[in-house]
Amino acid sequence: MTFDVAGLGVSTIDVIFIVDELPGREMVQRAHASTIQGGGPVATAIVAAARLGARTAMLDRIGGDPFGGMILSEFAVERVNTEGIIVAEGRRSSTASILVRREDGARVIAFSPGDCGELEPREVREDVVRAARILHLNGRHWEASLHAAAVARKGGVTVSFDGGAHRFRPEHRELLPRAEVCIVAAEYAAAYTGAADTAAGAEALLAAGPSLVVITEGTAGSRVHARGGESFHQPAFRVKPVIDTTGAGDAYHGAFLFALARGCSLKETARYAAAVGAMNTRALGGRAALPTLSELETFLSGAP
Amino acid sequence: MTFDVAGLGVSTIDVIFIVDELPGREMVQRAHASTIQGGGPVATAIVAAARLGARTAMLDRIGGDPFGGMILSEFAVERVNTEGIIVAEGRRSSTASILVRREDGARVIAFSPGDCGELEPREVREDVVRAARILHLNGRHWEASLHAAAVARKGGVTVSFDGGAHRFRPEHRELLPRAEVCIVAAEYAAAYTGAADTAAGAEALLAAGPSLVVITEGTAGSRVHARGGESFHQPAFRVKPVIDTTGAGDAYHGAFLFALARGCSLKETARYAAAVGAMNTRALGGRAALPTLSELETFLSGAP
């Protein structure tokens, strides 16, 4: 058992409806489309890597409800190893209800964290962590994350940290120094470092510990900073039409880690990541349009 | 195989989140609670009757997706016979996304009809219809409804029609005359008959065919009109706190038909129905607080 990437985070089920109106008042409207599918930043990154061909595993604690069943069956379809997922019987999994306005993709999200509790450090399957090249996490299941990161460091497993736009928490200052790879949204970098611009934020994050920092800015692309090495901007790819941006950043993470585990150059890695992030916006839901490696290569061969 | 009530209609899965704000703009909010459960007016009425102890069956066409699986497993738990439900493999079931504002219960609903298609007349399990005392329908699966109503009439099965508040369609003028029991929202009666008040609406509906007409008005109670017989008002029961009014009307229908099939007096029937409608508002979702018969009797023994 070896894995290119193991993820530790919270899997959710997203229920997504495309509508005409974000309803600020009581109303009934017919949706243009709807879908239910797995989500959660780390979980979707893992599925993105798996879709590209990476050997992957997920560590999590989910509920024994129908949503939990869906979470597991989606991972099974994607061949994600789920031995490290604890199912809390009689508990509810994390879910989100998302309305997307068709006109412009603006979203309203209501999330419900469930009551299945946090993964505990003793529940972390250390053998799964040690069997991975990269451990990817975002600070959810906090104590388990600290423990898994320590196990990973000790075992020579690269630790990767995902900092979502509005997900900064002060305690992350304890976790981030244990990560070698740190891919965060520009808003996260600003909240963490207090730096006024992206370059200064990247410097501050590099100083905090990681040797590779990537700062993502949606359609403005991403900036890659390696300690003592190269620094470059990766433009975002344009796709038309953009159906739903849910999971675009998670897809970027997953593709980045896939390419890193494969030994690609940093420039190639960032290009893969940007392409997969863009491709993932072509369909409704955080995972529906994640490409296989051959779909990715076809896309890149036609890209500017 | 005999049934007290068979239903023909569209089963849905409702995803319900209780939130602080009905979001008229892009935002993320944490829900106070969430649930996913079966819905649909006829389907919930059948479950209400089943929970009280009625022998029930459902006729429908659903998708072979995870939602369809949930629809079937909920019916199984409630002991609703599902031999008359066609599963369209590779198709999506009907779903609804519902946000409920905690402060006042105001709701926004986005519904997605799925693509599993209508039940066709040739797909109607006539043996199930004939084995029932009462056939309950609301005009969904239109051609199948007309056919099933004809089969029912010929077999001496009482036909019951549910007219929801905003569900009037001109073609219903063809179906309603085939029903003996007609329980409709006041808005439906007004739309169907053009009558200015409830009494005149009831008279017009009685003249259209049904021998028993009930007009429901939420917390204002319901009015029962039997052709050439009694006419009375049934007050609504008050419960506190009201958590979610989803399915209250459907619960009223199901309890009404349960009591009717049992041979209760009209007054007793209406009292049961009103109590079950009220009791169903005590929990999140259209079905979670549906009572058993003993719970209903306990509630009524303490009611004014």
Side-chain angles (χ1 to χ4, degrees):
Chain A
M1 181 174 73
T2 58
F3 302 111
D4 297 307
V5 193
L8 194 170
V10 173
S11 303
T12 72
I13 289 291
D14 295 340
V15 181
I16 309 174
F17 281 66
I18 303 275
V19 294
D20 284 322
E21 193 175 331
L22 301 185
R25 60 196 164 73
E26 197 153 41
M27 70 176 297
V28 177
Q29 62 186 323
R30 180 172 173 143
H32 294 287
S34 69
T35 187
I36 180 165
Q37 58 189 261
V42 170
T44 293
I46 290 298
V47 169
R51 194 78 60 88
L52 290 168
R55 293 157 303 167
T56 57
M58 185 72 193
L59 299 100
D60 194 357
R61 187 177 172 89
I62 65 176
D65 58 347
F67 288 125
M70 293 180 66
I71 288 168
L72 288 177
S73 64
E74 281 203 36
F75 283 139
V77 168
E78 305 290 349
R79 298 169 187 270
V80 176
N81 181 294
T82 57
E83 290 172 66
I85 298 182
I86 308 281
V87 178
E89 295 302 335
R91 299 295 178 137
R92 287 177 298 107
S93 300
S94 177
T95 60
S97 172
I98 304 172
L99 299 179
V100 181
R101 185 163 55 198
R102 182 159 76 157
E103 182 189 0
D104 60 359
R107 292 185 296 167
V108 299
I109 301 175
F111 69 94
S112 181
D115 61 0
C116 51
E118 296 225 327
L119 189 69
E120 294 178 26
R122 63 175 174 80
E123 293 174 324
V124 171
R125 279 284 295 262
E126 299 182 8
D127 56 334
V128 172
V129 173
R130 279 193 291 261
R133 291 187 178 197
I134 300 172
L135 172 69
H136 183 54
L137 35 73
N138 71 341
R140 299 294 302 273
H141 299 309
W142 176 248
E143 296 292 342
S145 291
L146 286 176
H147 178 68
V151 170
R153 291 297 292 237
K154 201 168 168 185
V157 178
T158 299
V159 176
S160 160
F161 179 79
D162 162 9
H166 306 294
R167 291 182 179 272
F168 172 69
R169 301 278 177 280
E171 64 261 31
H172 289 177
R173 297 188 198 285
E174 190 180 346
L175 180 59
L176 197 108
R178 304 187 189 192
E180 285 97 49
V181 180
C182 165
I183 309 179
V184 301
E187 296 90 334
Y188 184 94
Y192 189 106
T193 67
D197 63 57
T198 307
E203 284 308 317
L205 288 171
L206 284 170
S211 55
L212 179 61
V213 168
V214 181
I215 296 185
T216 59
E217 295 189 274
T219 55
S222 53
R223 187 160 278 283
V224 178
H225 303 260
R227 181 185 300 145
E230 52 189 336
S231 161
F232 61 91
H233 178 254
Q234 168 63 50
F237 289 90
R238 306 275 169 201
V239 297
K240 280 185 183 173
V242 169
I243 302 296
D244 180 13
T245 59
T246 303
D250 311 328
Y252 182 106
H253 285 87
F256 197 100
L257 299 179
F258 160 80
L260 214 56
R262 266 195 140 197
C264 296
S265 72
L266 270 186
K267 287 223 159 108
E268 196 176 3
T269 295
R271 185 168 149 85
Y272 272 27
V276 171
M279 292 173 80
N280 196 34
T281 67
R282 300 168 307 168
L284 185 56
R287 299 180 182 174
L290 288 171
T292 63
L293 184 56
S294 100
E295 288 165 348
L296 170 60
E297 285 169 345
T298 302
F299 177 87
L300 284 173
S301 70
Chain B
M1 183 175 71
T2 59
F3 302 111
D4 297 307
V5 193
L8 195 169
V10 172
S11 303
T12 72
I13 289 292
D14 294 340
V15 182
I16 309 175
F17 281 64
I18 302 276
V19 293
D20 283 324
E21 195 177 330
L22 302 186
R25 60 197 164 74
E26 198 152 41
M27 71 175 294
V28 177
Q29 63 186 325
R30 179 173 175 144
H32 293 286
S34 68
T35 186
I36 180 166
Q37 57 188 263
V42 170
T44 294
I46 290 298
V47 169
R51 193 78 61 88
L52 289 168
R55 293 157 303 168
T56 57
M58 185 74 192
L59 299 101
D60 194 355
R61 187 178 171 86
I62 64 177
D65 57 349
F67 288 125
M70 293 181 65
I71 288 168
L72 289 178
S73 64
E74 281 206 37
F75 282 141
V77 167
E78 305 288 349
R79 298 170 187 267
V80 176
N81 182 294
T82 56
E83 290 173 66
I85 298 183
I86 309 282
V87 178
E89 295 303 336
R91 300 296 179 133
R92 288 178 297 108
S93 301
S94 179
T95 60
S97 171
I98 304 173
L99 299 179
V100 180
R101 183 162 58 198
R102 183 160 74 157
E103 181 189 0
D104 60 358
R107 293 185 296 167
V108 300
I109 301 174
F111 68 95
S112 181
D115 62 0
C116 51
E118 296 226 327
L119 189 70
E120 293 179 25
R122 64 176 173 77
E123 293 174 325
V124 171
R125 280 284 295 263
E126 299 182 8
D127 57 333
V128 172
V129 173
R130 279 193 291 260
R133 289 187 180 199
I134 300 173
L135 171 69
H136 184 54
L137 35 73
N138 72 341
R140 299 293 302 273
H141 300 310
W142 176 247
E143 296 292 342
S145 291
L146 286 176
H147 178 66
V151 169
R153 292 298 292 237
K154 203 167 164 185
V157 177
T158 299
V159 176
S160 161
F161 178 79
D162 162 9
H166 306 293
R167 292 183 178 272
F168 173 69
R169 300 282 177 279
E171 65 262 31
H172 288 177
R173 297 189 199 286
E174 192 181 342
L175 180 59
L176 195 107
R178 302 186 191 193
E180 285 97 49
V181 178
C182 165
I183 309 179
V184 300
E187 296 89 334
Y188 185 94
Y192 189 106
T193 67
D197 62 56
T198 307
E203 283 307 317
L205 288 171
L206 284 170
S211 54
L212 179 60
V213 168
V214 180
I215 297 185
T216 59
E217 294 188 274
T219 55
S222 53
R223 186 160 277 283
V224 179
H225 303 262
R227 182 186 298 146
E230 51 188 335
S231 161
F232 62 90
H233 178 255
Q234 168 65 50
F237 289 90
R238 306 275 167 199
V239 297
K240 276 185 186 176
V242 169
I243 303 295
D244 180 13
T245 60
T246 302
D250 311 328
Y252 182 107
H253 285 88
F256 198 101
L257 298 179
F258 161 78
L260 214 57
R262 265 195 140 195
C264 297
S265 72
L266 271 185
K267 287 219 159 113
E268 196 176 4
T269 296
R271 186 168 149 86
Y272 272 26
V276 171
M279 292 174 81
N280 196 37
T281 65
R282 299 168 306 169
L284 185 58
R287 298 179 182 175
L290 288 171
T292 62
L293 184 56
S294 97
E295 289 166 347
L296 170 59
E297 285 170 346
T298 301
F299 177 86
L300 283 173
S301 70

